[in-house]
């Protein structure tokens, strides 16, 4: 890499910086022209140029406050430039955003203590809303990011050595008893850490909420975030301008303007039209499981078991494709772990009839032995291994299960080479067996699938091509197949997990669109109209990070109580960001999915009882 030369940057004592909502007005005492002013702003890497580029849209009637960082601190000015209030702080690095409710907030790093301080400008006054303990990294620049879908306020702290952090500035969940004593005051995207502490009262520093650590650019000379693009731009001297993914669930960078001088960052952005990402609505998760035991890409596929008499005691089975099968309660606690090796996908059905008695059965693919593992689930939810069924496939991958017309279990298992087998389970003399009753083959690799018994159909995902619907005949065997949703603008490869929810609002099929971290919702019944798509976002109040790169998912339409009265969606999370750790599964109320796609269920309606786990 080209050796970078150090540049002398103006300090807060040398330069007064004014920010307006529609864009920057940078006032220096040594320059007069507007172009020179804009260039100077982005030459000073430490003074927070990001806010100059993007802000949240504010009501047109609201007069935007003007913030100015000078020698004595942060000043609030009226439209004529007259001081209205001042917050005494010595700072060099700062940025600001205007929130959706019209409040302007500024994040500053105290030059004396290193503490990060969030200051609010509202009603002609400046107030400290929150503060955070000093970062462990040597901060070179600060850039704010107002995430457009959920309006969560985040910050990029660029380290001088290139090790940077992305913080969530929404306060962490607190104990209810402490919450009552604090009496916080809510601000859009931000909540006070100190409550009624006076206009300039000091609040107790909060610990950092690090969404992720990322490698950026050593000795960054300037940065800016375009919120609607979810892009962080960083200027590197003698190299050019870099673009990084601002979404903490995504990664990647590109050199977008080789040779661009850091001082020209503002002009480059002004000359380049923003390229907003498609607006995908968000469903907020209500809980998450404990991380899986295996490291790396380990969590894969869940299934939901409904307790026969106490739905709130229902369970989630989740595969750890490095080590085995875990069982979680609806609060996300691990209740059981079966060390059965590299199991990839799992599915289950309840109240099946085999050998003269009822069974709750689960199946999972065992990739080392190219087999299907069979598990029994008793009335309390205890899972036990029953049998191992050979498949004859070369590379067993995905699996799903369905109740056949005789009341027994059919298992649909696929191979990476495109083959799909339908196995019919039988039990006689205390022994389990499986016979192949139908086969088909896709052109390329499948994995996710789901059986929809009421619709007499099987849905299969061909990862690179799209979603298939396979008819089931009167005996439940596979018949004609049709590609009903190809990969394209709506559904992005890889096509992964899928599940069906049949309730009072109709039958809906959910499919993981892994390539753009979203989920497509469509009618399970013909003509399979697309209802919309959504993402699973952050839940700052409960300390739950968003979900991305989802492999498997499961749905139950059973009324599980509380938030899950309309049913439950469980998705695998490919990146556990907050806190950083091993992968896990996110729990999303079905009503949150309906809200996200504009189909809110009628108040008080109860989900139909689930026939078996999906």
């Amino acid at each position: 890499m080209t050796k970078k030369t150090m540049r002398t940057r103006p300090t807060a004592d040398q330069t007064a910086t004014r920010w307006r909502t529609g864009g920057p007005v940078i006032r220096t005492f040594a320059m007069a022209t507007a172009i020179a002013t804009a260039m100077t702003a982005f030459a000073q890497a430490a003074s927070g140029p990001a806010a100059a580029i993007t802000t949240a849209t504010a009501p047109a009637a609201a007069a935007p406050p003007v913030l100015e960082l000078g020698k004595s601190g942060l000043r609030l000015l009226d439209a004529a430039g007259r001081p209205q209030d001042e917050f005494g702080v010595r700072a060099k690095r700062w940025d600001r955003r205007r929130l959706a409710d019209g409040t302007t907030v500024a994040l500053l790093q105290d030059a004396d203590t290193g503490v990060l301080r969030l200051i609010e400008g509202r009603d002609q006054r400046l107030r400290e809303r929150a503060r955070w303990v000093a970062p462990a990294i040597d901060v070179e620049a600060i850039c704010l990011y107002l995430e457009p879908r959920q309006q969560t306020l985040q910050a990029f702290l660029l380290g001088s050595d290139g090790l940077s952090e992305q913080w969530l500035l929404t306060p962490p969940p607190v104990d209810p008893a402490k919450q009552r004593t604090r009496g916080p005051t809510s601000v859009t995207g931000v909540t006070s850490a100190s409550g009624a502490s006076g206009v300039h009262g000091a609040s107790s520093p909060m610990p950092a909420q690090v969404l992720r650590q990322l490698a950026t650019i050593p000795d960054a000379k300037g940065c800016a975030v375009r919120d609607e693009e979810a892009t962080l731009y960083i200027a590197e001297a003698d190299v050019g301008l870099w673009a990084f993914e601002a979404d903490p669930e995504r990664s990647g960078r590109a050199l977008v303007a080789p040779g661009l001088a850091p001082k020209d960052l503002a002009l480059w952005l002004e000359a380049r039209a923003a390229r907003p990402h498609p607006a995908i609505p968000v469903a907020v998760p209500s809980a998450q499981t404990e991380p899986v035991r295996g490291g790396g890409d380990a969590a894969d596929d869940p299934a939901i078991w409904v307790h026969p008499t106490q739905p709130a005691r229902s369970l989630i089975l989740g595969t750890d494709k490095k080590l085995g099968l875990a069982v979680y309660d609806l609060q996300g606690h691990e209740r059981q772990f079966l060390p059965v090796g590299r199991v990839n996908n799992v599915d289950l059905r309840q109240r099946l009839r085999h050998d003269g008695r009822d069974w709750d059965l689960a199946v999972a693919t065992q990739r080392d032995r190219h087999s299907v593992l069979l598990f029994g689930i008793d009335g309390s939810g205890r899972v036990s291994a029953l049998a191992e069924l050979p498949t004859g496939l070369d590379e067993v991958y995905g699996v799903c299960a369905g109740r056949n017309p005789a009341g027994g279990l059919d298992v649909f298992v696929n191979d990476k080479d495109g083959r799909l087998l339908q196995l019919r389970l039988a039990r006689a003399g205390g022994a389990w067996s499986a016979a192949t009753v139908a086969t088909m083959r896709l052109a390329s690799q499948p994995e996710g699938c789901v059986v929809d018994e009421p619709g007499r159909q099987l849905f299969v995902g061909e990862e690179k091509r799209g979603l298939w619907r396979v008819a089931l005949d009167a005996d439940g065997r596979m018949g004609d197949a049709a590609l009903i949703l190809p990969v394209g603008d709506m559904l992005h490869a890889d096509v992964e997990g899928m599940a069906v929810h049949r309730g009072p609002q109709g039958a809906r099929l959910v499919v993981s669109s892994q390539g753009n971290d979203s989920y497509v919702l469509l009618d399970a019944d013909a003509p399979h109209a697309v209802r919309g798509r959504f993402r699973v976002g952050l839940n700052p109040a409960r300390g739950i990070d968003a979900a991305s790169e989802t492999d498997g998912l499961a749905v139950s339409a059973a009324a599980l109580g509380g938030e899950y009265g309309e049913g439950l969606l469980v998705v695998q999370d490919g990146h556990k960001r907050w806190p950083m750790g091993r992968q896990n599964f996110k729990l999303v109320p079905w009503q949150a999915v309906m809200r996200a796609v504009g189909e809110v269920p009628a108040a008080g309606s109860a989900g139909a009882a689930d026939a078996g786990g999906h």
Side-chain angles (χ1 to χ4, degrees), residues 289-303 316-328 334 336-346 363-368 373 375 551-552 572-573 582-585:
T289 68
E290 295 174 357
V292 296
R293 300 185 180 199
D297 183 19
D300 195 279
D301 190 40
I316 299 164
L317 280 63
T319 59
D320 179 335
K321 58 189 179 186
K322 302 289 183 69
L323 298 172
L325 182 68
V327 182
Y328 307 95
E334 185 187 288
Q336 188 182 357
F337 186 81
L338 291 84
V340 290
R342 293 204 309 142
V343 287
N344 196 64
N345 284 27
V346 63
V363 290
T365 47
Q366 218 296 345
R367 295 183 64 183
D368 287 330
L373 301 181
F375 303 91
D551 282 322
Q572 181 260 6
D573 181 11
R582 298 187 301 277
Q583 296 175 340
N584 69 352
F585 300 91

Side-chain angles (χ1 to χ4, degrees), residues 64-115:
V66 180
L67 297 180
E68 178 181 86
L69 183 63
K71 293 181 180 180
S72 56
L74 187 68
R75 291 192 292 269
L76 180 67
L77 311 178
D78 63 17
R82 294 185 295 266
Q84 294 180 307
D85 198 10
E86 184 172 37
F87 191 96
V89 62
R90 198 172 72 87
K92 297 179 180 180
R93 297 162 178 82
W94 76 299
D95 197 0
R96 77 92 177 85
R97 278 294 186 276
R98 195 173 191 215
L99 307 177
D101 67 352
T103 302
T104 297
V105 293
L107 181 69
L108 307 91
Q109 184 176 32
D110 192 306
D112 298 317
T113 65
V115 168

